[in-house]
Amino acid sequence: ALKDGLLSQVSAALKEGRVTPTELCQRCLALIKSTKFLNAYITVAEETALKQAEESEERYKRGQPLGILDGIPIAVKDNFNTAGIETTCASNMLKGYISPYNATVVQKLLDQGAVLLGKTNLDEFAMGSGSTDGVFGPVRNPWSYSKQYKEKSVPKSHSEDEESNWVITGGSSGGSAAAVSSFTCFAALGSDTGGSTRNPAAHCGVVGLKPTYGLISRHGLIPLVNSMDVPGILTRCVDDAAVLLGSLAGHDPKDSTTVQDDFKPFELPNLTDVSKLSIGIPKEYHAPGLSSEILALWSKAADLFKNAGAKVVEVSLPHTRYSIVCYHVLCTAEVASNMARFDGLEYGHRSDKKESTESMYAATRREGFNDVVRGRILSGNYFLLKQNYEKYFVKAQKVRRLIATDFVKVFRSGVDILLTPTTLSDAAPYTEFIKEDNRTRSTQDDILTQAANMAGLPAINVPTALSERGLPVGLQFIGRSFQEKQLLTVAKWFEKQVQFPMIQLEEVKKHDSDVFQHQKSASFS
Amino acid sequence: MAARGCGGVWRRARQRGAGGPGPGPFPRGQRAVACNAKGGAVPAGKSGLAPWIPVVGLEIHAQISSNSKLFSGSQVQFAAPPNSLVSFFDASLPGTLPVLNKRCVEAAVMTGLALNCSINKKSLFDRKHYFYADLPAGYQITQQRVPIAVNGSLSYSLCIDNKMSQMVTKTVRIKQIQLEQDSGKSLHDDTRSQTLVDLNRAGVGLMEVVMEPDMCCGEEAAAAVRELQLVLQTLGSSQAVMAEGQLRVDANVSVHHPGEPYGVRTEVKNINSIRFLAKAVDYEIQRQIEELENGGTILNETRAFDSKLGCTVPMRDKEGKQDYRFMPEPNLPPLILYDAKSLPANMNHQQVINIDWIYERLPDLPSVKREKLVEQYGILPEHSFTLLNEDGLAEFFESVVKQTQMKPRKVIGWILNDLLSYLKQHSLTVKESPVSSCLLADLLNLLEKKEISSSAAKQVLAELWKGEGKTPLEIVKEQKLELLQDQKELEQICQAVIDGQENEVIMMVPG
């Protein structure tokens, strides 16, 4: 039953006693060790995880588990506060910082019995699209070590090339995506500001859900852009994403931007009839740089819906093309503001420079932040200067409104769900990726995902197929505000149609043949 | 709004010399005299006698009286141990978010209504950025674009030439009231070149009340602030004790000639009492006039009032010209208020604020209370001011009136001349008075019933101040202060006196 590593299946196994929470936790911890080279985790909370597993085990023994998440090993991106476990944002600024409180989403998971394995790697302060720009080094995409990729891409004769052929995970929640993809946990939290959950999900072949802004509490998520940040969910299937959503969503008195209404968790129906569905294909997503392979896959997916009886229509979101430049202004402005608190006084890194308070601030921030963060702070402050505010910030806000209105119009016209690519291409080898600077890369990579953040809409990456290089490619569904159930239902139907292949982790198997035993059979399904 | 401005144009001569609310004698005294000696010889073509019009506007920060802070659950308390009232949000730990305190909003709405403002049904929060040790987030959450209340007014009265009998009522326009966070406190230890930070105050709710430049002298500014203070205390929206920093006043001062645009203004800070406010403003007006008449210019600068020297001095600017890089606060949705008409039926009443509901429950404001006192007790208007100016005095007065047969107009004399002056002499508050309203009423009843004379009553009162727990009647008996009603007894006493002083009597008789 554990063979697909799905949350719902392992939960049933726990309930039936076929596996205990401690066994499960130990297996995951062993796997984390054997996949250490992926650099998916910044902190592994072995001790607390085993303790949580033990407590869970007690509950199962008493026949009183807390629910479907009880005993399920999960991982959390290292920009969510976790009481007693280091929270670094992959930055020198917060290295060694131990928060005194749990983010609301973390607390909710723990309250439901989940076992927190550790904190996953990311770009510093979530600023990036590769998970390559954190102080703890880049995350490696587990697919780099898959049989599928090796067979197609790695020249067998040059074994030394293997080291330089590994591909990135995408980002910034690359650690979480890699953790889910490599089976070291059953679900992970990411964050999504411009695509940071969906992008790595696409590259790592997992489901990545960015819920509607305001549906899930941001309290305890160290912000990138407050008005766009949403906690993201990474799982191995759409059903699991729905489970996580149900356990996390709803009003939080600690986050005034969450919806007032209670959220009713749902189970996803198996859609049999899509004929009443209207799928919109936004023509602007046919963006420059979109690989022909992904374009083909996108049309194939549209055909799939058409052939199943759904209405597929081309739609236009005319202002989406301004979203990158608009995002740049809004994002950097909020970054400049949000980062102001890191002055070395109350917490985090503090420079030894003591000539004056100002020089201490300057040195602290110089030493604490990388170039990307400092660059964004600089531009953001420029846009917020009195003489620039109207010209940049206010204008960007207006453009943001236009982008959001585009979506409203399209949905009002009768379209239920939009279908788009998630990324322009499959994952790039690290050596290729770092040839461009962070800003250029982010600009290119966020192009297909960002507009959903601008509009606050729910969107999900569904792994669709493998590329010619044997790497995952995903497609994105964007839904109406707070219509997660409809979005996930359609995503689930699509997931079932495409039968995305299971990763075959040869490399890891060598390290831990026992743990990965179940995957061998999976690969034939 | 009719009585705006002093109607006062200042001439240099008027401000010179002793008396009046002019600047203190030091250290500018020397220069003032020197200036004076020069007479009308003012350079730059302007006649030295051209009158100056001073313009004074005020920015007042009133700490909201609430149990918890504006955006966090930490307690609000004066003089608690350092950093004992600091939540994760107050210390701006990463990931924390502001949650608006309803009580603070209600306090601001109440204050807005009491100051005749229109309440904005939708107001917004903004971030104001600057780096400072006691501002942990690097920004203050305030209401820069759309504040909670705008366009109000406050009427206040002041006496002319220090004569209580000549009171005039003026009005200052209230530009706006905005909600914002207080900062923490920095203590600079220069010897160890350390700065110690106390975040207890960080995040406490403030109402910034912006008064338009409708005042023209220190006395006006002081009277306006005093009236505001009374209003806030009556509402309970702020304790407004200046000494505890619950009311902080910054004054914007400029001078110009009639018919000319406003002059460059300076901002005077660090004013710790209402008395100092008057002094600081008048000093600054005078300083500017002298500066300009000497051919100098006024810099748009911030100056601090030095209460020991009685003058204003330029403040070291923190970082030169600041650009606060205002930005909308993204973590707080717009603040929506309702009135009876707009209140949605299905709304949880605990969660919404109904302006009309608050309006209906406003207590009597000081101006109304004064009118009522004058009307009900027939006292002089100026006495009603004195009664309200002392916390609890009006209540004391009314309580005495209730318990005696004496006419209120007579009672007021005892309250103001005897009780109040005694309290002032001994720096006591009304609450701390050793003589309760009940005791005073007993005493006044003895007087009213002609059982004692007025001078005996003063004697009894002097005894009562000692607070030995004796009743007025006991004191009267002990000291035999009763007025004699018995003719015979009186004659006997007189005879005894005469008998004992025969020589004097003999000497007097022929005279």
Side-chain angles (χ1 to χ4, degrees), chain A residues 81 94 97 99-101 213 217-223 226-227 253-257 260 333-334 336-343 345-347 357-358 361 365 381 384-387 389 393 397, chain B residues 88-100 126-127 129-139 144-145 188 193 195 197 199 318-319 323-333 351:
Chain A
N81 281 277
L94 285 179
Y97 174 70
S99 170
Y101 75 99
Y213 183 85
S217 169
R218 292 180 293 114
H219 172 253
L221 165 62
I222 299 179
N226 299 282
S227 63
K254 290 176 182 155
D255 178 357
S256 309
T257 62
Q260 287 297 323
E334 281 201 36
S337 176
N338 287 332
M339 296 294 147
R341 69 188 56 211
F342 297 103
D343 55 15
L345 289 190
E346 271 81 19
Y347 43 80
T357 313
E358 284 74 20
Y361 284 161
R365 292 162 68 77
N381 278 322
L384 289 177
L385 287 177
K386 207 172 176 190
Q387 78 256 25
Y389 183 74
F393 190 82
Q397 277 188 313
Chain B
F88 300 152
F89 175 79
D90 304 329
S92 77
L93 295 197
T96 51
L97 299 170
V99 178
L100 184 58
D126 305 283
R127 292 179 179 182
H129 299 89
Y130 59 93
F131 282 107
Y132 208 69
D134 53 28
L135 186 76
Y139 56 81
Q144 190 234 358
R145 291 166 299 163
H188 302 288
S193 63
T195 298
V197 178
L199 294 180
K318 281 172 197 165
E319 290 158 42
D323 188 322
Y324 292 119
R325 291 158 286 130
F326 283 101
M327 189 191 89
E329 167 56 65
N331 294 319
L332 289 167
Q351 280 173 357

Side-chain angles (χ1 to χ4, degrees), chain B residues 435-451:
Chain B
V435 177
S436 66
S437 60
C438 180
L439 281 181
L440 184 60
D442 284 352
L443 176 65
L444 297 185
N445 277 334
L446 291 177
L447 181 64
E448 191 65 12
K449 281 187 255 164
K450 300 214 163 69
E451 287 179 23

